[in-house]
């Protein structure tokens, strides 16, 4: 890949291009309805993935979400990666920041397009996000990419269960006895098993890669086309070239550059495969990159050379040793006071049986937080807090942050009931954070003070890796339940008043209670309602 990719990633434009400080309004109408005669599959505007939202930084985005479901099923839409500064009531978490949208009703979201970068939206109710998702792209007029974006738009990866009813999946997760939803039958790229990407030879392209999976962490690569990673979770990074395969967990987003070869024609395989879980046979998704329409496609795609994809050990080592670094000095991680933050929370995650010994829940510090606990609310928890009412707050899963505190949060992984340590993609609403450090075994607050790197990139989604007892480990058995198996520490600044969810982004795990709430600087809480004209 030629050096110009590294040295000329961004082209700055003058302030004159921002027209007198005027910010545009972008309005969308989303109708959530069942696909065909099924009550299992939901779509937005009958599209899969849903429509793309695109705006310039600090523009106003209006989204009217209409629940057209003909059952009593409720919906919400979360705008994943959007900070919602001064608009926490628009975050889209049912019962927490808004009441769920009942059938036949419409809720209007109005918020600032911030921060710039590649983001996504998805349902935040039950397991609806398996099919209810789409892209948000926030462009910064002062930092335009020199490379052209691929004509198809972002590539969204999702997982699919063949012949499985979503509502039965949801019921099984909370029932006694517990019934697991099973592993996905296969993966999709932009809702397809045979996604075709047509590009011109001899060009540099920007690809936006989005982890819209509900369960799977995937690894992706393109044969003979190494990638240069330039953006992570919407934030610019020091370009990391020659990446042959990239890990994309649920909720994570990347922007990468590729250079097509100068040859006139060519057909190459793009592959997405599941990692960190026992994948079903033939679940990998194989797409095609071809040069121009003149490149003929073989009917036997199995003859194509597949990209070399990292295994779990290689992904684990990459995360520990090859961390993405921030490009901007203004976004470097604060050093703290002799290395320490103002406050530190340690969250021990685990899995336990329900009191009847038949159901299963995910817990954080021995507390589980599924939405069943809130189903009798008549106003959202955020609105209650705004009016000084904490009566309905689930205090055992709430962690309080003070104004402008430097906060460290450690997520300690432990072995599940089946003897396997799972890897968890964790997502924080309303914030970006730095990955301070990773570790194996049990976290030690006395010894683990200093960061692995001093310039990690700001993110909103991270992986808690299974450093031991993973599904492929020979020493896993049920007697290891609750044994420590790795931790991750993040660092953040409490600079966005609100009530923010921090949770595992695996849909089933969140549905089964792997969530906490950050009650942040409520004394300075404001909820602005932006004008829609």
């Amino acid at each position: 890949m030629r050096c110009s990719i590294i040295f000329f990633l961004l082209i700055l434009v003058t302030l004159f291009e921002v027209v007198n400080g005027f910010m545009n309004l972008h309005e969308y109408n989303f109708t959530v309805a069942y696909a065909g005669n099924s009550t299992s599959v939901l779509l937005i505007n009958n599209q899969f993935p849903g429509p793309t939202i695109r705006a310039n930084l600090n523009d106003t985005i209006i989204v009217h979400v209409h629940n057209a479901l003909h059952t009593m099923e409720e919906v919400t839409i979360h705008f994943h990666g959007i900070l919602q500064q001064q608009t926490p009531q628009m975050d889209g978490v049912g019962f927490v920041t808004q009441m769920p949208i009942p059938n036949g009703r419409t809720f209007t979201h109005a918020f600032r397009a911030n921060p710039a970068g590649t983001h996504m939206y998805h349902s935040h109710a039950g397991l609806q996000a398996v099919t209810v998702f789409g892209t948000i792209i926030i462009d910064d007029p002062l930092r335009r990419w020199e490379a052209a974006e691929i004509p198809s738009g972002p590539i969204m990866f999702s997982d699919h269960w063949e012949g499985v009813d979503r509502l039965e999946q949801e019921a099984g997760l909370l029932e006694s006895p517990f019934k697991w939803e099973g592993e996905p039958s296969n993966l999709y790229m932009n809702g397809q098993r045979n996604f075709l990407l047509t590009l011109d030879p001899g060009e540099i392209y920007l690809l936006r890669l989005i982890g819209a999976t509900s369960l799977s962490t995937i690894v992706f690569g393109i044969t003979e086309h190494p990638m240069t990673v330039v953006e992570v979770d919407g934030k610019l990074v020091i370009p990391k070239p020659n990446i042959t395969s990239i890990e994309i967990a649920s909720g994570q987003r990347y922007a990468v550059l590729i250079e097509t070869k100068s040859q006139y024609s060519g057909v190459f395989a793009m592959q997405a495969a599941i990692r960190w879980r026992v994948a079903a046979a033939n679940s990998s998704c194989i797409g095609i990159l071809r040069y121009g329409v003149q490149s003929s496609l073989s009917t036997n795609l199995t003859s194509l050379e597949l990209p070399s994809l990292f295994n779990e050990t290689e992904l684990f080592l990459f995360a520990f040793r090859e961390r993405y670094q921030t490009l901007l000095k203004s976004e470097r991680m604060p050093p703290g006071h002799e290395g320490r933050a103002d406050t530190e929370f340690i969250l021990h995650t685990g899995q336990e049986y329900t009191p009847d010994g038949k159901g299963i829940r995910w817990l954080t510090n021995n507390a589980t937080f599924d939405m069943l606990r809130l189903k009798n609310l008549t106003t959202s928890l955020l609105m209650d807090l705004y009016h000084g009412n904490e009566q309905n707050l689930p205090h055992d899963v709430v962690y309080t942050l003070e104004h402008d505190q430097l906060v460290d949060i450690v997520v300690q992984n432990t072995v599940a009931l089946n003897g396997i340590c799972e890897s968890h993609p964790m997502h924080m609403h309303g914030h970006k954070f730095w990955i301070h450090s990773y570790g194996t075994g049990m976290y030690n607050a006395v010894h683990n003070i200093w960061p692995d790197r001093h310039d990690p990139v700001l993110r909103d989604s991270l992986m808690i890796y299974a450093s031991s007892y993973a599904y492929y480990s020979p020493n896993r058995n049920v007697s290891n339940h609750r044994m420590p198996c790795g931790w991750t520490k993040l660092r953040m600044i409490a600079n966005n008043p609100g009530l923010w969810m921090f949770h595992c982004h695996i849909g089933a795990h969140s549905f089964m209670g792997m969530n906490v709430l950050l009650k942040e600087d409520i004394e300075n809480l404001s909820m602005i309602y932006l004008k829609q004209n």
Side-chain angles (χ1 to χ4, degrees):
M1 187 173 290
R2 59 179 180 253
C3 293
S4 61
I5 291 182
I6 306 300
F7 296 108
F8 300 104
L9 289 170
L10 306 172
I11 181 168
L12 299 182
V13 298
T14 64
L15 287 170
F16 183 75
E17 290 192 52
V18 180
V19 184
N20 296 324
F22 177 76
M23 299 302 171
N24 293 319
L25 183 148
H26 306 265
E27 191 166 7
Y28 300 85
N29 291 290
F30 284 5
T31 298
V32 182
Y34 294 118
N37 296 320
S38 170
T39 56
S40 178
V41 178
L42 286 74
L43 300 176
I44 295 179
N45 296 356
N46 203 34
Q47 296 177 226
F48 181 57
T52 294
I53 294 174
R54 191 155 197 161
N56 281 337
L57 182 64
N58 291 323
D59 282 354
T60 298
I61 296 175
I62 309 293
V63 184
H64 307 285
V65 180
H66 178 66
N67 180 350
L69 306 177
H70 55 264
T71 67
M72 297 301 293
E73 195 170 0
E74 299 172 321
V75 301
T76 63
I77 298 293
H78 167 58
F79 300 91
H80 182 115
I82 301 297
L83 294 180
Q84 300 292 0
Q85 291 170 318
Q86 297 187 300
T87 54
Q89 75 278 16
M90 299 296 170
D91 194 44
V93 182
F95 301 107
V96 176
T97 62
Q98 69 173 82
M99 294 303 292
I101 307 169
N103 60 320
R105 302 292 296 274
T106 299
F107 183 91
T108 296
H109 293 266
F111 53 89
R112 294 292 184 203
N114 182 46
T118 307
H119 311 297
M120 64 183 290
Y121 63 82
H122 58 82
S123 171
H124 219 280
L127 300 181
Q128 295 176 1
V130 173
T131 53
V132 180
F133 58 80
T135 298
I136 306 173
I137 300 174
I138 308 300
D139 296 305
D140 187 345
L142 300 182
R143 294 191 177 99
R144 296 193 185 277
W145 296 106
E146 190 177 53
E149 294 200 33
I150 60 173
S152 64
I155 300 177
M156 304 195 78
F157 301 93
S158 60
D159 32 26
H160 171 71
W161 283 261
E162 187 68 36
V164 178
D165 184 84
R166 172 186 55 86
L167 296 176
E168 292 181 4
Q169 286 180 320
E170 291 181 4
L173 293 174
L174 299 185
E175 281 180 347
S176 293
F178 169 78
K179 183 180 179 182
W180 173 235
E181 59 182 354
E183 301 301 314
S185 308
N186 42 61
L187 296 174
Y188 284 154
M189 297 183 198
N190 283 353
Q192 303 172 46
R193 285 282 286 162
N194 53 353
F195 176 68
L196 175 62
L197 175 61
T198 303
L199 301 178
D200 292 328
E203 299 290 342
I204 298 173
Y205 287 96
L206 178 76
L207 284 69
R208 300 179 189 268
L209 309 174
I210 300 176
T213 49
S214 176
L215 176 61
S216 307
T217 293
I218 65 108
V219 60
F220 171 75
I222 308 174
T223 303
E224 298 184 32
H225 289 75
M227 298 170 281
T228 294
V229 179
V230 292
E231 184 193 282
V232 173
D233 286 356
K235 287 295 184 178
L236 301 176
V237 296
I238 294 174
K240 186 174 282 294
N242 299 318
I243 301 297
T244 57
S245 62
I246 186 170
E247 179 184 63
I248 309 172
S250 176
Q252 293 183 335
R253 295 92 62 208
Y254 294 87
V256 304
L257 298 173
I258 65 168
E259 183 177 4
T260 55
K261 301 174 182 298
S262 58
Q263 64 198 51
Y264 178 70
S265 63
V267 176
F268 307 89
M270 303 187 296
Q271 185 181 18
I274 294 172
R275 295 292 184 266
W276 299 109
R277 305 190 65 85
V278 179
N282 302 315
S283 59
S284 293
C285 182
I286 299 176
I288 298 296
L289 164 61
R290 70 172 175 179
Y291 292 172
V293 294
Q294 69 275 8
S295 298
S296 60
L297 297 176
S298 171
T299 56
N300 182 18
L301 298 182
T302 58
S303 62
L304 287 176
E305 178 188 356
L306 296 179
S308 177
L309 301 180
F310 279 178
N311 61 30
E312 284 85 353
T313 301
E314 291 168 317
L315 293 173
F316 179 81
L317 293 176
F318 182 92
F320 272 53
R321 300 175 182 176
E322 300 290 335
R323 199 82 49 79
Y324 298 106
Q325 298 168 272
T326 182
L327 181 68
L328 304 179
K329 291 183 179 180
S330 61
E331 295 182 347
R332 288 188 175 176
M333 183 174 66
H337 312 289
E338 296 184 350
R340 297 189 182 277
D342 297 322
T343 188
E344 179 174 281
F345 299 104
I346 302 177
L347 307 178
H348 289 259
T349 67
Q351 191 186 63
E352 297 291 347
Y353 288 113
T354 51
D356 63 7
K358 298 179 180 179
I360 293 177
R361 293 293 187 274
W362 283 99
L363 299 88
T364 305
N365 289 348
N366 295 316
T368 188
F369 181 39
D370 59 54
M371 295 301 105
L372 294 180
R373 295 182 58 178
L374 306 178
K375 65 179 181 179
N376 293 323
L377 293 184
T378 56
T379 59
S380 69
L381 295 174
L382 179 67
M383 191 61 68
D384 279 348
L385 284 176
Y386 185 74
H387 293 290
N389 176 19
E390 296 194 8
Q391 180 179 353
N392 296 316
L393 205 64
H395 292 280
D396 55 347
V397 295
V398 173
Y399 297 83
T400 301
L401 312 182
E402 303 297 336
H403 178 69
D404 278 345
Q405 273 187 318
L406 185 64
V407 180
D408 283 354
I409 299 178
V410 180
V411 184
Q412 174 67 59
N413 205 358
T414 65
V415 178
L417 288 162
N418 61 1
I420 296 175
C421 180
E422 298 200 23
S423 292
H424 300 281
M426 303 294 293
H427 171 59
M428 183 178 290
H429 293 215
H431 285 279
K432 299 288 185 182
F433 52 74
W434 297 273
I435 299 178
H436 176 282
S437 49
Y438 286 109
T440 60
M442 180 68 79
Y443 174 74
N444 187 317
V446 175
H447 296 150
N448 300 119
I449 299 172
W450 302 105
D452 294 339
R453 289 183 180 272
H454 295 284
D455 55 356
V457 64
L458 279 166
R459 305 200 63 156
D460 56 52
S461 302
L462 60 82
M463 280 286 284
I464 312 299
Y465 288 99
S467 63
S468 55
Y469 308 111
Y471 79 91
Y472 54 84
S473 300
N475 60 343
R476 59 177 176 82
N477 61 74
V478 294
S479 66
N480 293 322
H481 174 228
R482 277 289 193 173
M483 291 287 287
C485 54
W487 55 267
T488 302
K489 179 193 283 192
L490 65 87
R491 175 163 289 181
M492 58 174 284
I493 299 174
N495 55 6
N496 192 11
L499 186 64
W500 306 109
M501 184 170 277
F502 180 47
H503 64 103
C504 180
H505 212 260
I506 291 176
H509 292 186
S510 179
F511 192 63
M512 294 166 63
M514 197 171 177
N515 316 289
V516 299
L517 295 175
L518 304 180
K519 181 168 74 81
E520 180 178 349
D521 192 14
I522 300 302
E523 293 78 8
N524 293 302
L525 175 64
S526 63
M527 292 190 286
I528 294 175
Y529 289 81
L530 300 176
K531 292 182 179 180
Q532 297 178 33
N533 53 53

